[in-house]
Amino acid sequence: MEISVYEDLAKNIKSRFSDEILNVEYLDMLTITVKRESIFNFIKTLKEDKDYGFSFLTTLCGMQYPSTDGSGKEFLGMVYMLHNMQKNFRIRIKITFPITEPKVDSI
């Protein structure tokens, strides 16, 4: 998929969810980091809204990030890879949270 398509999608998502998004970047695919408390409604909208059509959860995984700054503060994360089957493209959604609060809303 052309990067311009991802740029248009990113612009649309950023305008609609500006308060929930922490970061948008293009790695090997469009990658959006959102607030943990927003994940359920964010993914629900990407699935149910016909403008997005991400109806298939390709991958769901957890991560543990070690402290890299010497502070000893580790944190956890979740990665959701969603696929729009009709347009045949995927996006990655990420959340992070403190290791002391390992709770995430189920999607």
Side-chain angles (χ1 to χ4, degrees), residues 8-104:
D8 292 342
L9 178 62
K11 183 185 285 189
N12 181 298
I13 289 173
K14 281 195 283 189
S15 69
R16 184 161 181 180
F17 298 99
S18 60
D19 293 337
E20 289 90 12
I21 293 177
L22 300 174
N23 188 39
V24 176
E25 57 192 329
Y26 183 84
L27 302 170
D28 54 330
M29 68 180 70
L30 179 61
T31 302
I32 303 170
T33 305
V34 299
K35 296 176 182 176
R36 172 177 53 171
E37 60 272 13
S38 303
I39 194 64
F40 179 83
N41 288 328
F42 188 80
I43 288 182
K44 181 179 179 186
T45 300
L46 293 180
K47 176 186 176 191
E48 295 178 356
D49 190 311
K50 292 183 189 332
D51 288 341
Y52 302 116
F54 290 97
S55 60
F56 187 74
L57 177 64
T58 305
T59 306
L60 171 65
C61 66
M63 302 171 299
Q64 180 179 3
Y65 295 93
S67 173
T68 57
D69 62 2
S71 68
K73 293 183 180 179
E74 297 180 77
F75 60 98
L76 302 173
M78 296 289 295
V79 176
Y80 308 81
M81 294 184 43
L82 307 175
H83 194 148
N84 178 318
M85 302 294 268
Q86 293 178 333
K87 296 179 182 175
N88 193 29
F89 63 89
R90 297 179 301 151
I91 61 171
R92 179 184 296 121
I93 310 299
K94 299 189 323 184
I95 58 173
T96 59
F97 43 92
I99 199 166
T100 57
E101 299 175 31
K103 295 180 181 165
V104 177

